[in-house]
Amino acid sequence: MLNIRKSNKTDHEFLVLIDLKNDGYTLLDVVDMTEQNKEEHSKKIEGYLTDSDKGAFIIEDSASDKPIAMIMYSIANRDSVYPWKTIYNELDRNLFQIDGRFIEIFQLWVHPSYRRLGLATKLKLKLEEEAQNHKVNLIYTHTEEINNHVIELNKKIGYQEVRRGPIWDEVIRVSLIKQLSYAER
């Protein structure tokens, strides 16, 4: 049986491990992290367990009592100035609610043995409930242009493409949003 739940502090090691996993399409040169970089990364992921504007949901297989899928997100603001490259200011301001807040999907992962069973969809729908709880009307995500399966999955559940191009490197990524009707604009 599969169970979906909000993450907690005992999930920290799992979330760190999955975030460091090179499970995407573009293979990057993996450089060993220094102890300081590992500690900084661990603290960053800890924020998804402790910060009220961040969170994660996990799907567990109760038969093995192991996590098999997860989604991490943060409540961001389109109008904020970020210390890293974003494309938010390239998106039409009218897409966002008055206060500029939206949910950004930070990481979505499903164990290879459980892919194409609808778990990513379940996690994204759970995230829509979370958006409603936070009175947020827009969810943002992006994926690599060559990741056609994920692009189609997003479109199937109501996401629309709003941008195509590089973000922080030369890889072409597709930015998608889903506007939610129940939050105030």
Side-chain angles (χ1 to χ4, degrees), residues 11-111:
D11 298 310
H12 182 251
E13 187 176 327
F14 168 72
L15 295 176
V16 169
L17 176 70
I18 296 304
D19 189 55
L20 290 175
K21 205 172 183 43
N22 186 357
D23 206 14
Y25 275 69
T26 301
L27 296 177
L28 305 173
D29 293 330
V30 178
V31 178
D32 288 330
M33 294 175 79
T34 65
E35 286 305 313
Q36 181 181 349
N37 288 346
K38 286 179 186 175
E39 187 176 319
E40 289 170 3
H41 182 261
S42 179
K43 278 193 173 297
K44 176 176 114 177
I45 299 303
E46 185 178 335
Y48 288 87
L49 300 168
T50 59
D51 186 330
S52 63
D53 283 340
K54 294 181 179 181
F57 291 102
I58 292 176
I59 296 179
E60 290 179 324
D61 183 343
S62 59
S64 64
D65 198 30
K66 295 206 187 262
I68 57 166
M70 64 81 133
I71 191 167
M72 291 193 301
Y73 67 90
S74 64
I75 298 173
N77 192 306
R78 188 255 188 223
D79 302 325
S80 294
V81 176
Y82 292 91
W84 55 84
K85 181 156 175 45
T86 73
I87 55 88
Y88 309 139
N89 61 350
E90 296 177 28
L91 303 180
D92 182 352
R93 179 61 178 89
N94 293 319
L95 294 170
F96 298 84
Q97 59 196 45
I98 292 170
D99 66 5
R101 293 180 319 126
F102 65 99
I103 286 187
E104 176 184 24
I105 296 173
F106 175 72
Q107 178 72 272
L108 173 64
W109 176 84
V110 177
H111 187 282

Side-chain angles (χ1 to χ4, degrees), residues 130-161:
E130 190 71 1
Q132 183 177 18
N133 293 339
H134 288 278
K135 295 183 175 30
V136 172
N137 76 338
L138 186 137
I139 299 175
Y140 168 88
T141 190
H142 61 255
T143 191
E144 292 186 17
E145 179 180 50
I146 61 174
N147 198 346
N148 289 318
H149 174 73
V150 171
I151 294 167
E152 289 308 312
L153 164 75
N154 279 297
K155 288 181 176 181
K156 180 179 168 186
I157 61 174
Y159 284 74
Q160 59 185 309
E161 182 178 330

